[in-house]
Amino acid sequence: MKNLLRFQLLVSFLIISVFSWSQSITITSPNGGEVWAGCTAKNITWSASGTSNFYSIDYSTDGGTNWTSVTSFYNTTGGSYAWTVPNINSSSCLVRIKDSNTPSTVDQSNNSFTITAPLILTSPNGAENWEAGTSKTITWAATGTGNRYNIDYSTNGGSSWTTILSNYYNTSGIYNWTVPNSPTNTGLVRITDYYTACMTDKSDNIFTISPPTPTLTLTYPNGGQTFYAGSNYTIQWNSANLTSSLIALDYSTDSGKTWIPIVTGVSNTGSHSWTVPNTVSDFCLVKVKSVGTSLVDSSNAYFTIKNPYIEVLAPNGSENWEGCNDYTIRWAQGGIANYRFTIAYTTDNGVNWTNIVTNLYQTSSTNSSYTWTVPNTIQGPAKIRISDYNNSSTFDVSNASFNLSKNTSIIVTSPVGGEQWEAGTTKTISWVDNNLSRFRVYYSDNGGTTWSYITSNTTANSQSWSVPNSPSANYLIRVDDYYNSCYSDESDSTFTVTPPTPVITVTYPNGGNTFYPNENRSINWSSAYLTSGFVKTEYSTDSGATWVVNSSVTSNDGSDSWSVPNVITSNYLVRVSEYNNPSLFDVSNATFSVISPHITLTSPNGGEVWKGCETKNISWSVGGGSGSYRLEYSLDSGATWTFITTSSGSSYNWTLPAKLSSTKAFIRVRDLSRGISDNSNSKFTIIPNTDIIVT
């Protein structure tokens, strides 16, 4: 039995040996000398005989010392494998292929080939010491990337990553990184192609991020400044990475020999408002300290503390400033809080002051100005005073008086003062000007306290004015330029408006009118300034020799009804008088007439030929008619009459009957109330209509 077993083992050994002797693998690519780019697809190829067709493929980047698996038990009969080349950079690369079932059947590249990494991080690449808060340069070399990258860093040797940039476009391979305040001894940086994750590289070794260095630097005042006592200034400093959150500030006025606290502990905000003390010195310093540490900094050079001041520069004496013109008030200043000023003038050498502007803000800390349109209402010697709006004790006044003169672009020539103008009359206001084009005219009845328009827009140099019924001895006239009201003048002194003379004026009938008896007419008049609200109306038929009362008393509303009497004459007059003052009256300017009523037929008036079915116009004129008329026609020279119609007008369109026929036709029109009538002056012809004849 044992012999049989030995025989079987021997046979198996011989079979395996024979079989292994017939197996072979030969790599054809890469077989030495190739240059393959990392992250690209390349075919590993080989020829084989007698293998199981299951293969294990490995690669080495150090000439075969160490191997990394590409695949195992890869089943193929084609002798090819598509390999995504790793993102490495080595010229000592080899590929090895084994039969997975017979590992002793193996082959590797005859010689080394090269893999070039498309993306290589060059800095930081290990052992660097980068201080937190500083700017450092991350650099890389790239070939074949999309020029867009994700950049990350790690503080734990790559266990986790924090994004620096994502989808960052760059063609230079340089990025300036502000190192985060995350101290570590195991720092790494990684860069990855945004489009191809395979293209990535990180620091070859860890580097260090060290804690930031604390700094404290005074930036203002740092020397050369001029501060003014009582003003607020902002002390400023820069700091970084302090362990204390409190700052102390001191100042010195003796070159730093002694220091006076400004604040012993204030939040580290980088600035602090300081009200400058009233200690004048050219040797001032400020010091900033980090509370609880040795960090300190002070002004690099001296600054100055001065008292605040204002100095009027113009007008400062002897100038002549004319009203309505713009002049520049100028001054120099220092230490004025908030740069706010009040400007005033005096015309009585400082006894009284009138403000020109208050709380005027100026942006300059040294020289300022204000444009003043000089009023045309002040004349004579004057001075300007400029004061600190917040501290009126700081001010300056013009050294000497200057002169304010009146602008003479407009001069009122009438009324100039002293005149007496009657209310209700029309007077002419006049003036002269210096090449102006439009004007506004006003009057005042209270010496100029208030003003009322006479006209708001005129191009003339005079204006007719109906003097108002407001008697006063305090009237003034003022004329302004339409475009610039500063160009203005008024009466030199007041004038008087006297009470008006009462007046009645008959306006209708006022002469030459013609009326008819029994007509309803009105007597009309105008009046002004009557003491009574009533009048008396009368008429005369004998040119005023005698008068007949129409209304003994009626309201003074300008109109009174009058029934024309049946007295035919051309000697009529009308008289209107004030009810309680018969001496105040007016009479028609000339006589007028009352004549008998009449009616006159104007068409047809003789000789016409009218045809049946036609429409013809019968017309007439009336004087003193009633307005109601009867129309008739006659075919026999007036022996008999036939009714046509009644009418209230002065014409009628008559459609003639078709068969009327006459050579002795007449038309008659009669006033139905007045008993007046008229016929055609002579006969006319009417012929029948023959447009249709029954045959």
Side-chain angles (χ1 to χ4, degrees), residues 130-135 153-155 162 164 177-184 189 207 209-212:
W130 285 2
E131 181 182 329
T134 61
S135 179
Y153 75 95
S154 174
T155 59
T162 301
I164 298 174
W177 180 39
T178 300
V179 181
N181 191 8
S182 301
T184 179
V189 167
F207 65 95
I209 296 177
S210 58

mmCIF file with all atom_site columns, all heavy atoms in Angstrom, residues 130-135 153-155 162 164 177-184 189 207 209-212:
data_model
loop_
_atom_site.group_PDB
_atom_site.id
_atom_site.type_symbol
_atom_site.label_atom_id
_atom_site.label_alt_id
_atom_site.label_comp_id
_atom_site.label_asym_id
_atom_site.label_entity_id
_atom_site.label_seq_id
_atom_site.pdbx_PDB_ins_code
_atom_site.Cartn_x
_atom_site.Cartn_y
_atom_site.Cartn_z
_atom_site.occupancy
_atom_site.B_iso_or_equiv
_atom_site.pdbx_formal_charge
_atom_site.auth_seq_id
_atom_site.auth_comp_id
_atom_site.auth_asym_id
_atom_site.auth_atom_id
_atom_site.pdbx_PDB_model_num
ATOM 1   N N   . TRP A 1 130 ? 6.336   77.312 9.475  1.00 0.00 ? 130 TRP A N   1
ATOM 2   C CA  . TRP A 1 130 ? 5.580   78.477 9.021  1.00 0.00 ? 130 TRP A CA  1
ATOM 3   C C   . TRP A 1 130 ? 4.799   79.052 10.196 1.00 0.00 ? 130 TRP A C   1
ATOM 4   O O   . TRP A 1 130 ? 4.030   78.342 10.863 1.00 0.00 ? 130 TRP A O   1
ATOM 5   C CB  . TRP A 1 130 ? 4.626   78.098 7.886  1.00 0.00 ? 130 TRP A CB  1
ATOM 6   C CG  . TRP A 1 130 ? 5.343   77.879 6.575  1.00 0.00 ? 130 TRP A CG  1
ATOM 7   C CD1 . TRP A 1 130 ? 6.672   77.945 6.342  1.00 0.00 ? 130 TRP A CD1 1
ATOM 8   C CD2 . TRP A 1 130 ? 4.731   77.558 5.325  1.00 0.00 ? 130 TRP A CD2 1
ATOM 9   N NE1 . TRP A 1 130 ? 6.965   77.698 5.037  1.00 0.00 ? 130 TRP A NE1 1
ATOM 10  C CE2 . TRP A 1 130 ? 5.774   77.455 4.364  1.00 0.00 ? 130 TRP A CE2 1
ATOM 11  C CE3 . TRP A 1 130 ? 3.433   77.347 4.896  1.00 0.00 ? 130 TRP A CE3 1
ATOM 12  C CZ2 . TRP A 1 130 ? 5.541   77.152 3.033  1.00 0.00 ? 130 TRP A CZ2 1
ATOM 13  C CZ3 . TRP A 1 130 ? 3.197   77.055 3.567  1.00 0.00 ? 130 TRP A CZ3 1
ATOM 14  C CH2 . TRP A 1 130 ? 4.243   76.956 2.639  1.00 0.00 ? 130 TRP A CH2 1
ATOM 15  N N   . GLU A 1 131 ? 4.957   80.384 10.400 1.00 0.00 ? 131 GLU A N   1
ATOM 16  C CA  . GLU A 1 131 ? 4.300   81.042 11.528 1.00 0.00 ? 131 GLU A CA  1
ATOM 17  C C   . GLU A 1 131 ? 2.852   81.395 11.180 1.00 0.00 ? 131 GLU A C   1
ATOM 18  O O   . GLU A 1 131 ? 2.566   81.939 10.109 1.00 0.00 ? 131 GLU A O   1
ATOM 19  C CB  . GLU A 1 131 ? 5.061   82.314 11.906 1.00 0.00 ? 131 GLU A CB  1
ATOM 20  C CG  . GLU A 1 131 ? 4.469   83.053 13.096 1.00 0.00 ? 131 GLU A CG  1
ATOM 21  C CD  . GLU A 1 131 ? 5.212   84.331 13.413 1.00 0.00 ? 131 GLU A CD  1
ATOM 22  O OE1 . GLU A 1 131 ? 6.443   84.376 13.164 1.00 0.00 ? 131 GLU A OE1 1
ATOM 23  O OE2 . GLU A 1 131 ? 4.572   85.293 13.905 1.00 0.00 ? 131 GLU A OE2 1
ATOM 24  N N   . ALA A 1 132 ? 1.948   81.080 12.098 1.00 0.00 ? 132 ALA A N   1
ATOM 25  C CA  . ALA A 1 132 ? 0.535   81.406 11.895 1.00 0.00 ? 132 ALA A CA  1
ATOM 26  C C   . ALA A 1 132 ? 0.370   82.911 11.699 1.00 0.00 ? 132 ALA A C   1
ATOM 27  O O   . ALA A 1 132 ? 1.030   83.716 12.355 1.00 0.00 ? 132 ALA A O   1
ATOM 28  C CB  . ALA A 1 132 ? -0.295  80.942 13.087 1.00 0.00 ? 132 ALA A CB  1
ATOM 29  N N   . GLY A 1 133 ? -0.508  83.283 10.744 1.00 0.00 ? 133 GLY A N   1
ATOM 30  C CA  . GLY A 1 133 ? -0.771  84.689 10.464 1.00 0.00 ? 133 GLY A CA  1
ATOM 31  C C   . GLY A 1 133 ? 0.132   85.286 9.423  1.00 0.00 ? 133 GLY A C   1
ATOM 32  O O   . GLY A 1 133 ? -0.132  86.398 8.941  1.00 0.00 ? 133 GLY A O   1
ATOM 33  N N   . THR A 1 134 ? 1.221   84.605 9.053  1.00 0.00 ? 134 THR A N   1
ATOM 34  C CA  . THR A 1 134 ? 2.107   85.124 8.018  1.00 0.00 ? 134 THR A CA  1
ATOM 35  C C   . THR A 1 134 ? 1.635   84.646 6.656  1.00 0.00 ? 134 THR A C   1
ATOM 36  O O   . THR A 1 134 ? 0.812   83.735 6.535  1.00 0.00 ? 134 THR A O   1
ATOM 37  C CB  . THR A 1 134 ? 3.555   84.674 8.250  1.00 0.00 ? 134 THR A CB  1
ATOM 38  O OG1 . THR A 1 134 ? 3.603   83.225 8.207  1.00 0.00 ? 134 THR A OG1 1
ATOM 39  C CG2 . THR A 1 134 ? 4.058   85.148 9.599  1.00 0.00 ? 134 THR A CG2 1
ATOM 40  N N   . SER A 1 135 ? 2.146   85.275 5.609  1.00 0.00 ? 135 SER A N   1
ATOM 41  C CA  . SER A 1 135 ? 1.810   84.887 4.251  1.00 0.00 ? 135 SER A CA  1
ATOM 42  C C   . SER A 1 135 ? 2.930   84.011 3.700  1.00 0.00 ? 135 SER A C   1
ATOM 43  O O   . SER A 1 135 ? 4.099   84.427 3.663  1.00 0.00 ? 135 SER A O   1
ATOM 44  C CB  . SER A 1 135 ? 1.619   86.124 3.369  1.00 0.00 ? 135 SER A CB  1
ATOM 45  O OG  . SER A 1 135 ? 1.308   85.742 2.039  1.00 0.00 ? 135 SER A OG  1
ATOM 46  N N   . TYR A 1 153 ? -5.417  71.754 3.496  1.00 0.00 ? 153 TYR A N   1
ATOM 47  C CA  . TYR A 1 153 ? -4.327  71.541 4.443  1.00 0.00 ? 153 TYR A CA  1
ATOM 48  C C   . TYR A 1 153 ? -4.834  70.652 5.572  1.00 0.00 ? 153 TYR A C   1
ATOM 49  O O   . TYR A 1 153 ? -6.038  70.546 5.827  1.00 0.00 ? 153 TYR A O   1
ATOM 50  C CB  . TYR A 1 153 ? -3.792  72.868 4.988  1.00 0.00 ? 153 TYR A CB  1
ATOM 51  C CG  . TYR A 1 153 ? -4.679  73.539 6.017  1.00 0.00 ? 153 TYR A CG  1
ATOM 52  C CD1 . TYR A 1 153 ? -4.465  73.346 7.389  1.00 0.00 ? 153 TYR A CD1 1
ATOM 53  C CD2 . TYR A 1 153 ? -5.728  74.375 5.627  1.00 0.00 ? 153 TYR A CD2 1
ATOM 54  C CE1 . TYR A 1 153 ? -5.273  73.962 8.329  1.00 0.00 ? 153 TYR A CE1 1
ATOM 55  C CE2 . TYR A 1 153 ? -6.537  74.991 6.557  1.00 0.00 ? 153 TYR A CE2 1
ATOM 56  C CZ  . TYR A 1 153 ? -6.309  74.780 7.913  1.00 0.00 ? 153 TYR A CZ  1
ATOM 57  O OH  . TYR A 1 153 ? -7.111  75.381 8.844  1.00 0.00 ? 153 TYR A OH  1
ATOM 58  N N   . SER A 1 154 ? -3.864  69.995 6.231  1.00 0.00 ? 154 SER A N   1
ATOM 59  C CA  . SER A 1 154 ? -4.167  69.105 7.352  1.00 0.00 ? 154 SER A CA  1
ATOM 60  C C   . SER A 1 154 ? -3.257  69.465 8.512  1.00 0.00 ? 154 SER A C   1
ATOM 61  O O   . SER A 1 154 ? -2.090  69.821 8.323  1.00 0.00 ? 154 SER A O   1
ATOM 62  C CB  . SER A 1 154 ? -3.948  67.634 6.959  1.00 0.00 ? 154 SER A CB  1
ATOM 63  O OG  . SER A 1 154 ? -4.098  66.789 8.086  1.00 0.00 ? 154 SER A OG  1
ATOM 64  N N   . THR A 1 155 ? -3.818  69.404 9.724  1.00 0.00 ? 155 THR A N   1
ATOM 65  C CA  . THR A 1 155 ? -3.010  69.649 10.931 1.00 0.00 ? 155 THR A CA  1
ATOM 66  C C   . THR A 1 155 ? -2.773  68.364 11.713 1.00 0.00 ? 155 THR A C   1
ATOM 67  O O   . THR A 1 155 ? -2.208  68.412 12.811 1.00 0.00 ? 155 THR A O   1
ATOM 68  C CB  . THR A 1 155 ? -3.711  70.679 11.836 1.00 0.00 ? 155 THR A CB  1
ATOM 69  O OG1 . THR A 1 155 ? -5.002  70.175 12.203 1.00 0.00 ? 155 THR A OG1 1
ATOM 70  C CG2 . THR A 1 155 ? -3.864  72.020 11.125 1.00 0.00 ? 155 THR A CG2 1
ATOM 71  N N   . THR A 1 162 ? -8.773  70.345 5.598  1.00 0.00 ? 162 THR A N   1
ATOM 72  C CA  . THR A 1 162 ? -9.570  71.579 5.587  1.00 0.00 ? 162 THR A CA  1
ATOM 73  C C   . THR A 1 162 ? -9.310  72.306 4.270  1.00 0.00 ? 162 THR A C   1
ATOM 74  O O   . THR A 1 162 ? -8.158  72.460 3.848  1.00 0.00 ? 162 THR A O   1
ATOM 75  C CB  . THR A 1 162 ? -9.188  72.496 6.761  1.00 0.00 ? 162 THR A CB  1
ATOM 76  O OG1 . THR A 1 162 ? -9.402  71.796 7.993  1.00 0.00 ? 162 THR A OG1 1
ATOM 77  C CG2 . THR A 1 162 ? -10.024 73.783 6.744  1.00 0.00 ? 162 THR A CG2 1
ATOM 78  N N   . ILE A 1 164 ? -8.674  75.025 1.614  1.00 0.00 ? 164 ILE A N   1
ATOM 79  C CA  . ILE A 1 164 ? -8.134  76.376 1.456  1.00 0.00 ? 164 ILE A CA  1
ATOM 80  C C   . ILE A 1 164 ? -8.834  77.068 0.284  1.00 0.00 ? 164 ILE A C   1
ATOM 81  O O   . ILE A 1 164 ? -9.338  78.179 0.416  1.00 0.00 ? 164 ILE A O   1
ATOM 82  C CB  . ILE A 1 164 ? -6.610  76.344 1.220  1.00 0.00 ? 164 ILE A CB  1
ATOM 83  C CG1 . ILE A 1 164 ? -5.896  75.727 2.423  1.00 0.00 ? 164 ILE A CG1 1
ATOM 84  C CG2 . ILE A 1 164 ? -6.073  77.746 0.937  1.00 0.00 ? 164 ILE A CG2 1
ATOM 85  C CD1 . ILE A 1 164 ? -4.399  75.525 2.206  1.00 0.00 ? 164 ILE A CD1 1
ATOM 86  N N   . TRP A 1 177 ? -0.605  82.010 0.700  1.00 0.00 ? 177 TRP A N   1
ATOM 87  C CA  . TRP A 1 177 ? -1.521  81.488 1.724  1.00 0.00 ? 177 TRP A CA  1
ATOM 88  C C   . TRP A 1 177 ? -1.247  82.187 3.047  1.00 0.00 ? 177 TRP A C   1
ATOM 89  O O   . TRP A 1 177 ? -0.099  82.230 3.517  1.00 0.00 ? 177 TRP A O   1
ATOM 90  C CB  . TRP A 1 177 ? -1.303  79.972 1.851  1.00 0.00 ? 177 TRP A CB  1
ATOM 91  C CG  . TRP A 1 177 ? -2.166  79.274 2.869  1.00 0.00 ? 177 TRP A CG  1
ATOM 92  C CD1 . TRP A 1 177 ? -3.461  79.514 3.146  1.00 0.00 ? 177 TRP A CD1 1
ATOM 93  C CD2 . TRP A 1 177 ? -1.772  78.186 3.719  1.00 0.00 ? 177 TRP A CD2 1
ATOM 94  N NE1 . TRP A 1 177 ? -3.928  78.658 4.108  1.00 0.00 ? 177 TRP A NE1 1
ATOM 95  C CE2 . TRP A 1 177 ? -2.899  77.815 4.484  1.00 0.00 ? 177 TRP A CE2 1
ATOM 96  C CE3 . TRP A 1 177 ? -0.567  77.484 3.899  1.00 0.00 ? 177 TRP A CE3 1
ATOM 97  C CZ2 . TRP A 1 177 ? -2.872  76.776 5.417  1.00 0.00 ? 177 TRP A CZ2 1
ATOM 98  C CZ3 . TRP A 1 177 ? -0.550  76.449 4.825  1.00 0.00 ? 177 TRP A CZ3 1
ATOM 99  C CH2 . TRP A 1 177 ? -1.689  76.104 5.571  1.00 0.00 ? 177 TRP A CH2 1
ATOM 100 N N   . THR A 1 178 ? -2.297  82.746 3.641  1.00 0.00 ? 178 THR A N   1
ATOM 101 C CA  . THR A 1 178 ? -2.181  83.272 4.995  1.00 0.00 ? 178 THR A CA  1
ATOM 102 C C   . THR A 1 178 ? -2.325  82.098 5.951  1.00 0.00 ? 178 THR A C   1
ATOM 103 O O   . THR A 1 178 ? -3.404  81.519 6.083  1.00 0.00 ? 178 THR A O   1
ATOM 104 C CB  . THR A 1 178 ? -3.251  84.335 5.270  1.00 0.00 ? 178 THR A CB  1
ATOM 105 O OG1 . THR A 1 178 ? -3.089  85.418 4.347  1.00 0.00 ? 178 THR A OG1 1
ATOM 106 C CG2 . THR A 1 178 ? -3.118  84.878 6.686  1.00 0.00 ? 178 THR A CG2 1
ATOM 107 N N   . VAL A 1 179 ? -1.254  81.774 6.597  1.00 0.00 ? 179 VAL A N   1
ATOM 108 C CA  . VAL A 1 179 ? -1.214  80.563 7.425  1.00 0.00 ? 179 VAL A CA  1
ATOM 109 C C   . VAL A 1 179 ? -2.201  80.711 8.581  1.00 0.00 ? 179 VAL A C   1
ATOM 110 O O   . VAL A 1 179 ? -2.176  81.714 9.308  1.00 0.00 ? 179 VAL A O   1
ATOM 111 C CB  . VAL A 1 179 ? 0.212   80.323 7.957  1.00 0.00 ? 179 VAL A CB  1
ATOM 112 C CG1 . VAL A 1 179 ? 0.261   79.049 8.796  1.00 0.00 ? 179 VAL A CG1 1
ATOM 113 C CG2 . VAL A 1 179 ? 1.198   80.254 6.795  1.00 0.00 ? 179 VAL A CG2 1
ATOM 114 N N   . PRO A 1 180 ? -3.098  79.735 8.780  1.00 0.00 ? 180 PRO A N   1
ATOM 115 C CA  . PRO A 1 180 ? -4.100  79.851 9.841  1.00 0.00 ? 180 PRO A CA  1
ATOM 116 C C   . PRO A 1 180 ? -3.467  79.711 11.224 1.00 0.00 ? 180 PRO A C   1
ATOM 117 O O   . PRO A 1 180 ? -2.395  79.122 11.386 1.00 0.00 ? 180 PRO A O   1
ATOM 118 C CB  . PRO A 1 180 ? -5.059  78.700 9.547  1.00 0.00 ? 180 PRO A CB  1
ATOM 119 C CG  . PRO A 1 180 ? -4.219  77.689 8.849  1.00 0.00 ? 180 PRO A CG  1
ATOM 120 C CD  . PRO A 1 180 ? -3.236  78.473 8.018  1.00 0.00 ? 180 PRO A CD  1
ATOM 121 N N   . ASN A 1 181 ? -4.190  80.247 12.187 1.00 0.00 ? 181 ASN A N   1
ATOM 122 C CA  . ASN A 1 181 ? -3.717  80.165 13.568 1.00 0.00 ? 181 ASN A CA  1
ATOM 123 C C   . ASN A 1 181 ? -4.126  78.809 14.155 1.00 0.00 ? 181 ASN A C   1
ATOM 124 O O   . ASN A 1 181 ? -4.952  78.725 15.072 1.00 0.00 ? 181 ASN A O   1
ATOM 125 C CB  . ASN A 1 181 ? -4.284  81.318 14.397 1.00 0.00 ? 181 ASN A CB  1
ATOM 126 C CG  . ASN A 1 181 ? -3.605  81.417 15.755 1.00 0.00 ? 181 ASN A CG  1
ATOM 127 O OD1 . ASN A 1 181 ? -2.624  80.725 16.029 1.00 0.00 ? 181 ASN A OD1 1
ATOM 128 N ND2 . ASN A 1 181 ? -4.149  82.268 16.611 1.00 0.00 ? 181 ASN A ND2 1
ATOM 129 N N   . SER A 1 182 ? -3.528  77.754 13.600 1.00 0.00 ? 182 SER A N   1
ATOM 130 C CA  . SER A 1 182 ? -3.777  76.379 14.044 1.00 0.00 ? 182 SER A CA  1
ATOM 131 C C   . SER A 1 182 ? -2.424  75.686 14.219 1.00 0.00 ? 182 SER A C   1
ATOM 132 O O   . SER A 1 182 ? -1.999  74.870 13.375 1.00 0.00 ? 182 SER A O   1
ATOM 133 C CB  . SER A 1 182 ? -4.640  75.627 13.014 1.00 0.00 ? 182 SER A CB  1
ATOM 134 O OG  . SER A 1 182 ? -5.879  76.264 12.825 1.00 0.00 ? 182 SER A OG  1
ATOM 135 N N   . PRO A 1 183 ? -1.717  76.026 15.291 1.00 0.00 ? 183 PRO A N   1
ATOM 136 C CA  . PRO A 1 183 ? -0.374  75.462 15.475 1.00 0.00 ? 183 PRO A CA  1
ATOM 137 C C   . PRO A 1 183 ? -0.373  73.929 15.471 1.00 0.00 ? 183 PRO A C   1
ATOM 138 O O   . PRO A 1 183 ? -1.263  73.279 16.034 1.00 0.00 ? 183 PRO A O   1
ATOM 139 C CB  . PRO A 1 183 ? 0.043   76.011 16.841 1.00 0.00 ? 183 PRO A CB  1
ATOM 140 C CG  . PRO A 1 183 ? -0.772  77.269 17.011 1.00 0.00 ? 183 PRO A CG  1
ATOM 141 C CD  . PRO A 1 183 ? -2.078  76.965 16.358 1.00 0.00 ? 183 PRO A CD  1
ATOM 142 N N   . THR A 1 184 ? 0.635   73.329 14.810 1.00 0.00 ? 184 THR A N   1
ATOM 143 C CA  . THR A 1 184 ? 0.741   71.866 14.715 1.00 0.00 ? 184 THR A CA  1
ATOM 144 C C   . THR A 1 184 ? 2.166   71.502 14.302 1.00 0.00 ? 184 THR A C   1
ATOM 145 O O   . THR A 1 184 ? 2.860   72.293 13.655 1.00 0.00 ? 184 THR A O   1
ATOM 146 C CB  . THR A 1 184 ? -0.269  71.302 13.701 1.00 0.00 ? 184 THR A CB  1
ATOM 147 O OG1 . THR A 1 184 ? -0.119  69.875 13.628 1.00 0.00 ? 184 THR A OG1 1
ATOM 148 C CG2 . THR A 1 184 ? -0.066  71.894 12.321 1.00 0.00 ? 184 THR A CG2 1
ATOM 149 N N   . VAL A 1 189 ? 0.058   69.918 3.205  1.00 0.00 ? 189 VAL A N   1
ATOM 150 C CA  . VAL A 1 189 ? -0.739  70.617 2.207  1.00 0.00 ? 189 VAL A CA  1
ATOM 151 C C   . VAL A 1 189 ? -0.969  69.668 1.044  1.00 0.00 ? 189 VAL A C   1
ATOM 152 O O   . VAL A 1 189 ? -0.073  68.898 0.677  1.00 0.00 ? 189 VAL A O   1
ATOM 153 C CB  . VAL A 1 189 ? -0.058  71.915 1.736  1.00 0.00 ? 189 VAL A CB  1
ATOM 154 C CG1 . VAL A 1 189 ? -0.732  72.466 0.473  1.00 0.00 ? 189 VAL A CG1 1
ATOM 155 C CG2 . VAL A 1 189 ? -0.097  72.969 2.836  1.00 0.00 ? 189 VAL A CG2 1
ATOM 156 N N   . PHE A 1 207 ? 5.188   69.379 8.029  1.00 0.00 ? 207 PHE A N   1
ATOM 157 C CA  . PHE A 1 207 ? 5.867   70.617 8.364  1.00 0.00 ? 207 PHE A CA  1
ATOM 158 C C   . PHE A 1 207 ? 5.180   71.188 9.608  1.00 0.00 ? 207 PHE A C   1
ATOM 159 O O   . PHE A 1 207 ? 4.174   70.664 10.090 1.00 0.00 ? 207 PHE A O   1
ATOM 160 C CB  . PHE A 1 207 ? 5.842   71.614 7.199  1.00 0.00 ? 207 PHE A CB  1
ATOM 161 C CG  . PHE A 1 207 ? 4.471   72.107 6.831  1.00 0.00 ? 207 PHE A CG  1
ATOM 162 C CD1 . PHE A 1 207 ? 3.987   73.310 7.352  1.00 0.00 ? 207 PHE A CD1 1
ATOM 163 C CD2 . PHE A 1 207 ? 3.650   71.380 5.969  1.00 0.00 ? 207 PHE A CD2 1
ATOM 164 C CE1 . PHE A 1 207 ? 2.733   73.766 7.008  1.00 0.00 ? 207 PHE A CE1 1
ATOM 165 C CE2 . PHE A 1 207 ? 2.394   71.833 5.636  1.00 0.00 ? 207 PHE A CE2 1
ATOM 166 C CZ  . PHE A 1 207 ? 1.919   73.031 6.153  1.00 0.00 ? 207 PHE A CZ  1
ATOM 167 N N   . ILE A 1 209 ? 3.375   74.378 11.805 1.00 0.00 ? 209 ILE A N   1
ATOM 168 C CA  . ILE A 1 209 ? 2.731   75.691 11.898 1.00 0.00 ? 209 ILE A CA  1
ATOM 169 C C   . ILE A 1 209 ? 2.940   76.152 13.334 1.00 0.00 ? 209 ILE A C   1
ATOM 170 O O   . ILE A 1 209 ? 2.420   75.552 14.283 1.00 0.00 ? 209 ILE A O   1
ATOM 171 C CB  . ILE A 1 209 ? 1.234   75.628 11.559 1.00 0.00 ? 209 ILE A CB  1
ATOM 172 C CG1 . ILE A 1 209 ? 1.025   75.200 10.097 1.00 0.00 ? 209 ILE A CG1 1
ATOM 173 C CG2 . ILE A 1 209 ? 0.571   76.983 11.816 1.00 0.00 ? 209 ILE A CG2 1
ATOM 174 C CD1 . ILE A 1 209 ? -0.436  75.043 9.694  1.00 0.00 ? 209 ILE A CD1 1
ATOM 175 N N   . SER A 1 210 ? 3.738   77.213 13.495 1.00 0.00 ? 210 SER A N   1
ATOM 176 C CA  . SER A 1 210 ? 4.075   77.690 14.838 1.00 0.00 ? 210 SER A CA  1
ATOM 177 C C   . SER A 1 210 ? 3.118   78.800 15.254 1.00 0.00 ? 210 SER A C   1
ATOM 178 O O   . SER A 1 210 ? 2.538   79.488 14.413 1.00 0.00 ? 210 SER A O   1
ATOM 179 C CB  . SER A 1 210 ? 5.511   78.187 14.867 1.00 0.00 ? 210 SER A CB  1
ATOM 180 O OG  . SER A 1 210 ? 5.693   79.227 13.912 1.00 0.00 ? 210 SER A OG  1
ATOM 181 N N   . PRO A 1 211 ? 2.915   79.004 16.561 1.00 0.00 ? 211 PRO A N   1
ATOM 182 C CA  . PRO A 1 211 ? 2.019   80.065 17.028 1.00 0.00 ? 211 PRO A CA  1
ATOM 183 C C   . PRO A 1 211 ? 2.493   81.425 16.541 1.00 0.00 ? 211 PRO A C   1
ATOM 184 O O   . PRO A 1 211 ? 3.689   81.661 16.354 1.00 0.00 ? 211 PRO A O   1
ATOM 185 C CB  . PRO A 1 211 ? 2.102   79.955 18.557 1.00 0.00 ? 211 PRO A CB  1
ATOM 186 C CG  . PRO A 1 211 ? 2.582   78.565 18.821 1.00 0.00 ? 211 PRO A CG  1
ATOM 187 C CD  . PRO A 1 211 ? 3.495   78.226 17.676 1.00 0.00 ? 211 PRO A CD  1
ATOM 188 N N   . PRO A 1 212 ? 1.553   82.397 16.330 1.00 0.00 ? 212 PRO A N   1
ATOM 189 C CA  . PRO A 1 212 ? 1.932   83.723 15.833 1.00 0.00 ? 212 PRO A CA  1
ATOM 190 C C   . PRO A 1 212 ? 2.656   84.535 16.899 1.00 0.00 ? 212 PRO A C   1
ATOM 191 O O   . PRO A 1 212 ? 2.434   84.366 18.096 1.00 0.00 ? 212 PRO A O   1
ATOM 192 C CB  . PRO A 1 212 ? 0.590   84.363 15.473 1.00 0.00 ? 212 PRO A CB  1
ATOM 193 C CG  . PRO A 1 212 ? -0.397  83.686 16.370 1.00 0.00 ? 212 PRO A CG  1
ATOM 194 C CD  . PRO A 1 212 ? 0.090   82.266 16.520 1.00 0.00 ? 212 PRO A CD  1
#
